[in-house]
Every structure is written in C-alpha cells, then in structure tokens.
Amino acid sequence: QEPMTSPKWNLYMYLSVNSSIVYSLMCIAQVYLLNYHGTGSDAEVTLYNYVFGSLIIWILFLSNLASYGISLSLWRRNTAKVMEWAYEEKDFETLEKILTSNFVIDLDMTCDKSNLLIKALMDANADVAKKILTAPKKRLNLNALNEFGETALVLACKSGFDDICSCLLKKKGLDLSKETLSENHGMDGQNVLMLASTYNCKSVVEYILSMDNDNRPDINAFDYRGNDALMLAYRNKHSYIFGLLKSHLGSTVDGLFI
C-alpha cells in the first residue's frame, strides 16, 4: 500500500535528466569546435558521429522527461488513495508523513465525490481535519459534499469545531455565497448561522454578521421548528453568540439568560 514511486526514484530521475542535458551540451560544444577547427574526412566522420550521438541523447532526455511526468502523475493519484486507506486503517503515522511531505497531492483523487477532509469531519476527527487543512502543497476541494449534501463548513459547525471553522473561513476557494449559507441542513432545516449558534462556533457567527447586507444570508430566518439563530443561541446558553446576534437584531428574548 505504499506509493508507486519514492523520493529516491525522483532523485534518480533528476540526475538522469540533468546528466542528459550536460552530455548534450558537451556534444554541441564539440560540434561547434569541429565546425570551426576540424579539417578533412576525419573531421566530417567525427562531426557526423557527434551529431548522431547528440540526437540520441536528446531523444533519451525527452523520453526520460515524459516518463517522469507520467510517473509523478500516477504517484500523486495513488498517494491520495493510500492516504484514504491509511485513514480507514487508522494508520495515522503514514497519513501524517504524506501530509507533511513537500509533494503536490490532489486529495480529491478518490473513488467517490467526497474527500478525506469530509470523511474526517463526518467521523468528528478534529486532529486529522486540522492536519489536512494545514498540510503544505495539498490540493483540496473545500466545497465537496457528502451524501447528505453537507460541506466541510457545515460538518465542522455540527461538531462544534470552531477552530476548524475559523481555518476554513480563511481558505481561498470556499463558497460563502448567500445561496450556500442560506441552505437548510438536517431534519430541523437549519442554515449555517443556525448551526453555528447551536454548536457555539463563534468565528462563523462573527464572519456572517460582518458581511454586508446584500451578500449576507437572512439572519432572521427560521428553521422547521420555528427557531431563529438568536433563539438557538439562547436555548443552548451560548452567551457570546447571543450577545452578538442581539446587538445586530436589536431585539430581546424574554426571560433570563443563564
């Protein structure tokens, strides 16, 4: 279950390609010298040999380069599947080694429409989710959906992972459009703001309230049970979020907040 290639193989290919370039330059230099300083039939034969040798070297160089590109592409595709396998087998040591590597890997190259971040958040595995979001040179579709139509931001809210929500909100490519944030999720039909108010995700509430009125989802919307974000924060005793929403809505909730 290891990747098809290794850093040692990549070093070999690097040296092979560069040695081809060096030898080709030597052949070109020799051809130049013979062209200006060589005389007689020996020079013509030698010139022919070096031209032919240079052509062969360039063909080898191009074939090596093509093989390197194809193998690297296969390695990246295979590595994404190895990461998925390592996660399912709870081999977090292998998973961390790949995530912290300096290779560019597409984490969406799996068998389904989901990705490793979605899987980790569905399992409420905050540690793996953080490592995925902070991994260098790893390509990831932040708007991927699970089978229930939930994004990584929705799943992070439902698990109460405010730090992961904060990390997601700082990422480029995350869909934070009014339509997306207004979508209802779960049996209660709660949008992102309602979920954040229910599970105490302060960064999400702060971000939504900081949006301008034209692009911000309706903060007065109700779920299927007739609760808005303010009432959900009140019922779940999230005083900070309750205060934020109350200041924006300019309304009150009867009773004491404990």
Side-chain angles (χ1 to χ4, degrees):
Q1 294 292 338
E2 295 182 356
M4 293 174 63
T5 59
S6 64
K8 290 183 179 179
W9 182 90
N10 289 320
L11 177 62
Y12 166 76
M13 288 300 300
Y14 175 81
L15 295 175
S16 176
V17 169
N18 280 277
S19 63
S20 298
I21 295 175
V22 172
Y23 189 73
S24 299
L25 292 174
M26 292 173 61
C27 290
I28 293 172
Q30 189 66 34
V31 168
Y32 174 81
L33 292 174
L34 287 171
N35 188 41
Y36 285 93
H37 302 288
T39 57
S41 59
D42 290 339
E44 292 179 359
V45 172
T46 306
L47 177 63
Y48 171 79
N49 289 337
Y50 271 101
V51 170
F52 181 75
S54 179
L55 178 62
I56 295 299
I57 290 297
W58 275 105
I59 291 174
L60 291 174
F61 162 68
L62 292 176
S63 63
N64 278 341
L65 194 61
S67 298
Y68 176 80
I70 293 171
S71 298
L72 185 60
S73 176
L74 291 173
W75 182 85
R76 285 166 52 188
R77 181 178 293 274
N78 188 59
T79 303
K81 294 180 179 180
V82 171
M83 291 175 65
E84 186 176 2
W85 168 85
Y87 176 77
E88 292 175 353
E89 295 296 320
K90 301 187 184 302
D91 185 358
F92 298 121
E93 182 179 354
T94 297
L95 183 63
E96 185 173 2
K97 285 181 179 179
I98 299 176
L99 282 173
T100 55
S101 69
N102 206 34
F103 289 102
V104 178
I105 301 173
D106 192 340
L107 299 181
D108 294 308
M109 289 183 175
T110 53
C111 298
D112 51 36
K113 296 181 180 180
S114 181
N115 57 37
L116 192 58
L117 177 61
I118 295 291
K119 293 179 183 295
L121 289 173
M122 288 185 69
D123 294 338
N125 194 326
D127 186 49
V128 172
K130 289 178 187 176
K131 290 177 181 178
I132 292 172
L133 289 172
T134 57
K137 297 185 178 181
K138 304 301 182 284
R139 296 173 181 171
L140 179 67
N141 178 16
L142 298 174
N143 302 305
L145 304 173
N146 65 3
E147 58 185 310
F148 305 108
E150 297 169 325
T151 63
L153 183 61
V154 170
L155 291 169
C157 283
K158 292 177 70 174
S159 295
F161 296 152
D162 188 43
D163 51 345
I164 294 178
C165 290
S166 179
C167 187
L168 280 167
L169 292 171
K170 296 174 184 177
K171 291 281 187 179
K172 294 182 179 179
L174 183 66
D175 184 4
L176 294 169
S177 63
K178 183 176 182 179
E179 293 73 18
T180 300
L181 294 177
S182 300
E183 290 181 359
N184 297 327
H185 301 279
M187 296 184 64
D188 292 337
Q190 296 181 349
N191 60 25
V192 173
L193 179 60
M194 295 174 188
L195 290 171
S197 300
T198 301
Y199 298 102
N200 200 29
C201 292
K202 303 179 183 69
S203 60
V204 177
V205 176
E206 291 173 344
Y207 181 87
I208 292 176
L209 293 179
S210 68
M211 299 173 69
D212 59 82
N213 293 331
D214 293 333
N215 298 320
R216 185 172 62 190
D218 183 10
I219 60 177
N220 297 300
F222 293 93
D223 63 12
Y224 298 156
R225 297 179 182 272
N227 298 312
D228 61 2
L230 182 69
M231 182 59 70
L232 290 168
Y234 173 77
R235 288 184 172 178
N236 289 280
K237 300 182 180 181
H238 301 318
S239 56
Y240 178 76
I241 293 177
F242 175 79
L244 283 177
L245 291 167
K246 183 179 177 181
S247 64
H248 277 75
L249 294 173
S251 59
T252 59
V253 176
D254 294 334
L256 295 176
F257 190 88
I258 301 174

